[in-house]
Amino acid sequence: MRAVFMRLPADDPRSLVFAAAVCRSWRAILSDPGFAHGYRALHGGPPMLGFLHNEYRAGNRFVPTSTFRRRASQDRPDCQVLDSRHGLVLLYAPAYDPPLEARDLVTGDWWDIDDDPKCRDIMHWPGDGPDDFFSGTGVRCNATVLCAKDRCDHLDCHGGPFLVALVGSVEEGGIALATVYSSEARQWSHMISVQSPGLLTDDGGHTAVVGDKVYVPSYECDSVVEFNIREQQLSVINVPENLGQGFLYLIGVEDGMLLFASVLKPRLYLLSMEAGPRGAAAWARRRVVELEPLLPPRALLDMSESNIWAVGFAEGVSVIFLRTPAGCYAIDLNSGRANKVGEFSIEKVMPYARFCTGGTYRLANKVHDEQGIEKVITPMAMPLSPPALVDDAMRAVFMRLPADDPRSLIRAAAVCRGWRAILSDPGFARGYRALHGAPPMLGFLHNEYRRGNRFVSTSTFRRPASHDHRDCHVLDSRHGLALLYAPGYHAPFDVCDLVTDNWREIDDDPKCHDIMHWPGDDPDDYYNGSIHCNATVFCAIDRCDHLDCHGGPFLVALVGSADEGSITLATVYSSETHQWSDMISVQTPGLQIDTGGRTAVVGNNKVYVPNYEGDSVVEYNIREQQLSVIKAPEILDQGYLDLLGVEDGMLLFASVRKPRLYLWSMEAGPGGAAAWARRRVVELEPLLPPHALLDMSSSDVWTVGFAEGVRVIFLRTPAGLYAVELNSGRANKMGEFSIEKVMPYTRFCIGAWGRLPASDEAPQAVAGGTMM
C-alpha cells in the first residue's frame, strides 16, 4: 500500500486524506516523514494546486485546479495578490501596517514584512492614492517573492527563509530602482538604481526568477530589467526588433531560460531568452501552438485587435493561461488540452504550486470541501481486514494511479472483490484513459547484433521471456504495436501487441519481400540492385486518439530507395484487406533512404522517412498514393538533423552541437514546401556525466529515439544510452553505447488484462505481460 500511495498524483491531495481516514495503519504510512520525502522526490516538480487573481474592488480570489481548497478564513478580500512562487503568496494591503505579507496557503502560516521607508514611502501599486501614483514622485513597482535557500530544488522549502524583491521605475521612466527584503535579516537592503531613459516597469506584469536574478518586464514589452540580488546590480535587456513577434510577454522560466509568449494570427508563439553579461541575450523560438483546435471559435474573433494575450504560466507543469474574448483558458502544453478556468476580466494569473504531503495538510483526519470549509473525518478502526471505503472514493483513488505503473492496479485488484469489480469495469478503463491522456511509455525495444530484439522496461510492466522471439528484428513500434521482421519465415512480417501477446502475421507478397531488404538479409544481394527500405506500423482508424485502438485495423508502410538512390518506391499493407498496394515510385537523384532511421506519422495517411544524409525526408501520402521530397534549408546550419517523430502535429527534428541539443519543428506544405522553426535548446552539461560529452567535435553524441506523447528523447553517448525527459529536465542511463535505435513502446494496460486475479492468486500474472 505504501507503493500505491506513493503513486497517487501530487495534484490530488484529497485522495491521500481519504486514504488516511481508512485505518490507523494507512494513516501511519501517510504520516511518516520518510514517505513525504520519497513522495516529493518521486513526483519531481510541485503540482499546481490552483491559481490566484485579483478582482476589481473585491480583493483576491483562489481558483483551485486540483482537489486542494483554500480555507475560507484565508480569503482576505482586503488584500491584493502581488506574486506567487515556491509555495508562498505575497499579499499587499496599503491600509495595514505592515502592508506586505507572505503566506503559505496549505499550512495557513503567514509572515508580516516589516515596514520601511525604502519601499513604502515611494513604491505604490494600483489601488493606492490616485493623486500620487502618477505624480512623478511615486514608483511604478513590481514585486517578487522567492525562496532564499541557495541551490534549493523547491520541493520542500516551505517555512524556510524567503526574499521579496521590489523593482520599479520613476520620473516617467528615467530611472529604475530596486530593493530586496530578507526574512532572515528582517530588513530591506539599500535602494539601488540605474539610468533607463524611457523605460517604465510593468507593475502588473509577470516576473521571473533564475537563481538569484529577478527579471521584470517593461510596459512596452520591448525590454526586461535584470536585478542581480547577490551582486546588487541592475541592467536592462532589450528585445531585438527582428524577432517580428509583436508584443512579447514575459511569462516565466523553463529549462533555466526566460520564456516569452505572443499571439499572432491564431497561433501562440513561445520564445526563450538566455541572459548574458551587460544586457546581452540569446533568443530562440521555442514552440508554436495552433490555437484553433484548442479554443472555441468566438475566442479567436477579430485577431487584429490583439484581444488574446498570455496572462500567466505555471512553471514545472507547463500550463499557460490565455485571456480571450470567450474567457480565460488554461492550455496544457504537455497534453495539448485547453480548459476554461475563468472570465475575460482576469488580467493576471498567479499559479500556486506546492506539495501537500508531510503532515502540512493534516492528512490524519481533516479535509476541506468545495467551499474551503474544514471537516473532520473519523478513521475506521479496521487494522486486520481490507478497508470498506465507499466505492466512489476508491474509484477516484484508483483513477489517479499513474498509467506507467500497472503493477499498482494489479495489486489493488488482488486485495478484495469490491476493488476488483471497480478495476474490471469497462467504464473505469475508459475514464482512466481519458483522464491520463497520452498512453504511457512502458519500455522500449532495440535490436542486438546477432541476438534479435530486446525489450527494456521503463515502467512496472515486464514482457515475459517466452515472448522475446530472438530470431526476429524489430523494425518499428507505434500505437501499441510492434513490427517484427524475420526473413527466414514464409510470412516475414509480424505485428505484435506486447501487453495482450496477440500476433498477426502479414502475408508474403512479391511487391515487398522479393525486392526489399534490411541489414541481416543475404549480404550478396543487399547492395546488388535491392532496395534500402524502412518500415512503419500505425493505426488505420481515421481520426483516432490512439488511447484504445489496440486490436483494431493497422497499416504497414514500406518506403525504400533503389538504383543507388535514383528512385524512391513505396507500398502499404492493410490488415483489413490483407493485401499490399501497388508499388509507386518517384525520381529522387542521389537520395538513399535511411533503413535504420526513425519514421514519423501525421494523421493516418502521411508517413515521413529520412534519408542517410539527414538533409531531407520523403513524404508518403497513403490516401493519395503520392511520394514527394522535403529538403531541410541550408540556413539552419545545425549539422546533421535527425527525424525524431511528431509533436503538436508537426515533425520534430534534433541535432547535437557544442554540448547542446537543438530541437526543430517542421510543418509540411504542398509540393515539398515546409515551414521550419527552432523549438527548443537543451543544455546537456547539467544532465549528462562529463565523460558523455568528451570530444564533441567527433559527433559522438546523437539522438536514437523519441517517445511521442511523454516527450522523452534517447541519446547515445560514449557513456551509454540516456533518456532525457523534456518535461522534468531529468536524464537517466538506460543502456550501453551499442544501442543504435530505440523504439519506445507506449500503451495503456488498463482494460487489456482479461481476467483479473482472484483474491487468493498471485497478483503478478497479467494476460500477455507481467507486473514485477
Side-chain angles (χ1 to χ4, degrees), residues 390-562:
V390 179
D391 284 351
D392 288 345
M394 288 313 301
R395 180 184 293 268
V397 171
F398 296 147
M399 193 72 74
R400 290 290 189 172
L401 289 174
D404 63 351
D405 185 24
R407 179 176 59 182
S408 295
L409 291 169
I410 292 294
R411 286 180 169 177
V415 171
C416 62
R417 292 185 178 88
W419 290 12
R420 192 162 63 252
I422 294 174
L423 294 168
S424 300
D425 180 14
F428 174 84
R430 287 192 299 270
Y432 186 87
R433 290 188 291 261
L435 175 67
H436 289 271
M441 178 173 63
L442 303 180
F444 64 86
L445 298 126
H446 69 95
N447 295 312
E448 295 184 336
Y449 182 65
R450 294 184 177 179
R451 296 183 62 186
N453 68 86
R454 183 183 172 214
F455 177 80
V456 179
S457 177
T458 59
S459 66
T460 56
F461 170 81
R462 301 292 186 271
R463 182 172 71 160
S466 59
H467 299 161
D468 281 351
H469 293 275
R470 291 292 185 176
D471 54 351
C472 296
H473 281 272
V474 182
L475 299 180
D476 191 36
S477 174
R478 187 177 282 103
H479 301 161
L481 300 173
L483 178 63
L484 303 176
Y485 174 67
Y489 287 78
H490 173 69
F493 296 104
D494 281 300
V495 173
C496 176
D497 185 323
L498 301 187
V499 174
T500 63
D501 195 36
N502 290 329
W503 289 73
R504 281 175 280 185
E505 294 182 345
I506 297 180
D507 297 332
D508 193 12
D509 196 293
K511 295 186 183 75
C512 62
H513 184 52
D514 290 350
I515 61 173
M516 292 194 174
H517 303 260
W518 283 267
D521 292 356
D522 185 357
D524 295 330
D525 66 356
Y526 181 65
Y527 291 106
N528 186 21
S530 58
I531 294 179
H532 292 66
C533 184
N534 205 318
T536 307
V537 62
F538 55 102
C539 169
I541 301 176
D542 193 28
R543 297 183 180 179
C544 181
D545 58 10
H546 309 303
L547 298 183
D548 188 30
C549 57
H550 320 297
F554 63 86
L555 301 173
V556 174
L558 304 183
V559 179
S561 54

Side-chain angles (χ1 to χ4, degrees), residues 270-287:
L270 299 178
L271 295 94
S272 62
M273 186 271 278
E274 188 173 10
R278 299 184 181 89
W283 293 80
R285 181 183 291 181
R286 195 175 186 89
R287 193 167 185 176

Side-chain angles (χ1 to χ4, degrees), residues 107-440:
T107 64
D109 296 333
W110 74 90
W111 300 265
D112 288 331
I113 298 176
D114 297 334
D115 196 10
D116 195 293
K118 295 187 185 74
C119 62
R120 192 179 189 191
D121 290 349
I122 62 172
M123 294 194 173
H124 302 262
W125 284 270
D128 293 355
D131 297 332
D132 64 355
F133 183 67
F134 294 107
S135 65
T137 59
V139 174
R140 308 177 75 96
C141 182
N142 205 315
T144 305
V145 63
L146 62 146
C147 170
K149 292 182 181 179
D150 192 28
R151 298 182 181 179
C152 182
D153 59 10
H154 309 304
L155 298 183
D156 189 30
C157 56
H158 323 298
F162 63 88
L163 303 173
V164 174
L166 303 183
V167 179
S169 57
V170 72
E171 295 181 1
E172 297 183 356
I175 301 175
L177 306 99
T179 182
V180 62
Y181 172 85
S182 169
S183 65
E184 294 179 291
R186 296 185 63 83
Q187 60 183 356
W188 294 87
S189 68
H190 293 294
M191 191 80 67
I192 63 172
S193 62
V194 67
Q195 295 289 329
S196 55
L199 183 142
L200 288 173
T201 55
D202 187 357
D203 51 19
H206 296 279
T207 61
V209 176
V210 179
D212 56 0
K213 297 177 181 178
V214 176
Y215 296 86
V216 179
S218 68
Y219 263 108
E220 299 299 326
C221 300
D222 56 358
S223 61
V224 291
V225 176
E226 179 189 84
F227 178 21
N228 190 320
I229 296 175
R230 179 169 300 173
E231 300 179 4
Q232 285 293 289
Q233 291 182 351
L234 283 171
S235 57
V236 179
I237 302 174
N238 292 314
V239 177
E241 297 180 358
N242 59 4
L243 288 182
Q245 296 296 330
F247 280 99
L248 284 177
Y249 296 96
L250 174 63
I251 58 174
V253 176
E254 194 170 58
D255 299 326
M257 295 182 288
L258 300 187
L259 193 65
F260 293 78
S262 68
V263 180
L264 284 172
K265 299 176 181 177
R267 286 177 178 169
L268 169 67
Y269 294 86
L270 299 178
L271 295 94
S272 62
M273 186 271 278
E274 188 173 10
R278 299 184 181 89
W283 293 80
R285 181 183 291 181
R286 195 175 186 89
R287 193 167 185 176
V288 180
V289 180
E290 294 287 346
L291 296 180
E292 286 182 321
L294 302 176
L295 302 179
R298 65 183 186 280
L300 299 174
L301 296 177
D302 194 16
M303 289 294 299
S304 61
E305 297 295 331
S306 300
N307 53 3
I308 298 182
W309 63 90
V311 292
F313 179 68
E315 299 177 8
V317 294
S318 296
V319 174
I320 190 169
F321 294 86
L322 294 182
R323 177 180 174 179
T324 79
C328 183
Y329 284 81
I331 297 179
D332 190 327
L333 298 179
N334 295 332
S335 66
R337 296 179 176 179
N339 297 298
K340 186 175 180 179
V341 294
E343 300 304 322
F344 177 74
S345 59
I346 297 178
E347 295 185 352
K348 182 179 180 181
V349 167
M350 288 156 282
Y352 184 74
R354 192 199 192 289
F355 282 107
C356 290
T357 52
T360 56
Y361 197 46
R362 304 177 188 272
L363 288 178
N365 61 355
K366 293 187 179 180
V367 69
H368 296 84
D369 63 14
E370 298 293 330
Q371 288 75 37
I373 300 175
E374 191 175 80
K375 293 185 176 181
V376 177
I377 301 177
T378 302
M380 293 180 287
M382 299 178 60
L384 299 178
S385 61
L389 277 183
V390 179
D391 284 351
D392 288 345
M394 288 313 301
R395 180 184 293 268
V397 171
F398 296 147
M399 193 72 74
R400 290 290 189 172
L401 289 174
D404 63 351
D405 185 24
R407 179 176 59 182
S408 295
L409 291 169
I410 292 294
R411 286 180 169 177
V415 171
C416 62
R417 292 185 178 88
W419 290 12
R420 192 162 63 252
I422 294 174
L423 294 168
S424 300
D425 180 14
F428 174 84
R430 287 192 299 270
Y432 186 87
R433 290 188 291 261
L435 175 67
H436 289 271

